Amino acid sequence: DTGVSQDPRHKITKRGQNVTFRCDPISEHNRLYWYRQTLGQGPEFLTYFQNEAQLEKSRLLSDRFSAERPKGSFSTLEIQRTEQGDSAMYLCASSLPGTSGGAGEQFFGPGTRLTVL
Amino acid sequence: AQKITQTQPGMFVQEKEAVTLDCTYDTSDQSYGLFWYKQPSSGEMIFLIYQGSYDEQNATEGRYSLNFQKARKSANLVISASQLGDSAMYFCAMRDRGAGGTSYGKLTFGQGTILTVHP
């Protein structure tokens, strides 16, 4: 399978605990994006990387959230001191470089569903 | 700031008929991209079709076509010959220019439209 993969698929945690999610993009894609989706809503942008550089962060991304892409391949999203409002689906997507032309569509992974009790 | 509006929370269509899902957008950028994604109950976002702001012709991909009216800032999705497997949530999204003026920025999504295809 050469698509975007995310791990774990489901995570249940207690309020106040830290959680970390992993995303493996399509291998030739240098852009990697994180979104959050709550039930019945469209995904909301969190942050994105070009290679290992974090180019943009949403104001939604509080200090409790941190994302890394240390070697320009996989990425991790960590949430510290989780709150019940963090319960959502966390989606990762990847795309080709902006210089490649074309649509540059983002390919999404299956998501990680987080439930904070 | 960019904004996408989908005013139809739910739509129903008979199998084999065509259906139009509405999308309007707001942006001050001259260069932008418009996308439609399908999200079945399984949850994975599936890319359907893309329209660039400078594209003069409406995009088509198989049974999907995008009715792009730039002056009205609308980008409606038309699905022809609906199939039962088309039942899903559909999202319209806009891509901005991105940090540093690079062309592949983040997506801003609308609220979505749930499409139900009846046999």
Side-chain angles (χ1 to χ4, degrees):
Chain A
D1 184 9
T2 57
V4 178
S5 61
Q6 292 186 246
D7 184 70
R9 295 291 303 276
H10 303 274
K11 179 71 176 178
I12 300 174
T13 191
K14 293 183 179 179
R15 188 179 54 175
Q17 298 294 306
N18 299 342
V19 294
T20 300
F21 309 141
R22 176 178 169 127
C23 170
D24 287 87
I26 294 172
S27 58
E28 63 266 29
H29 288 182
N30 76 341
R31 291 286 180 109
L32 187 148
Y33 308 78
W34 285 99
Y35 295 86
R36 179 172 66 187
Q37 185 178 24
T38 53
L39 200 61
Q41 301 295 316
E44 294 177 302
F45 168 75
L46 294 177
T47 187
Y48 83 92
F49 294 84
Q50 176 170 287
N51 300 314
E52 64 276 8
Q54 189 173 23
L55 296 188
E56 189 174 348
K57 290 170 59 174
S58 166
R59 285 171 292 178
L60 295 174
L61 212 64
S62 76
D63 292 344
R64 297 185 297 106
F65 287 71
S66 62
E68 293 183 339
R69 194 182 183 198
K71 297 182 180 179
S73 56
F74 72 91
S75 175
T76 57
L77 177 69
E78 180 183 17
I79 308 174
Q80 296 182 329
R81 306 180 303 282
T82 53
E83 302 172 356
Q84 288 185 325
D86 297 332
S87 294
M89 176 78 85
Y90 289 82
L91 295 167
C92 176
S94 68
S95 74
L96 286 168
T99 53
S100 65
E105 65 268 31
Q106 295 180 18
F107 293 84
F108 283 79
T112 294
R113 183 168 294 284
L114 173 66
T115 302
V116 182
L117 301 176
Chain B
Q2 300 193 326
K3 186 176 181 181
I4 296 285
T5 302
Q6 295 180 253
T7 58
Q8 305 156 314
M11 289 286 287
F12 295 89
V13 66
Q14 206 72 24
E15 194 179 8
K16 299 181 184 178
E17 294 187 347
V19 62
T20 298
L21 306 184
D22 294 342
C23 172
T24 58
Y25 61 91
D26 189 22
T27 182
S28 55
D29 291 341
Q30 296 301 310
S31 177
Y32 50 88
L34 295 159
F35 297 79
W36 278 91
Y37 282 85
K38 172 184 178 182
Q39 189 174 42
S41 56
S42 59
E44 192 157 349
M45 300 284 285
I46 302 167
F47 165 71
L48 295 179
I49 195 166
Y50 163 80
Q51 179 85 40
S53 57
Y54 293 118
D55 295 341
E56 294 185 352
Q57 291 194 332
N58 288 340
T60 60
E61 287 288 347
R63 295 186 298 112
Y64 305 108
S65 59
L66 201 153
N67 184 0
F68 181 47
Q69 298 189 38
K70 195 169 182 177
R72 294 185 178 184
K73 293 189 174 179
S74 73
N76 298 339
L77 176 70
V78 180
I79 304 175
S80 63
S82 296
Q83 301 172 355
L84 296 177
D86 294 334
S87 294
M89 177 76 94
Y90 288 80
F91 290 101
C92 180
M94 171 184 290
R95 182 184 64 207
D96 64 22
R97 286 191 58 79
T102 57
S103 55
Y104 287 5
K106 65 182 180 293
L107 294 176
T108 299
F109 287 84
Q111 308 92 311
T113 297
I114 299 175
L115 176 66
T116 303
V117 180
H118 289 300

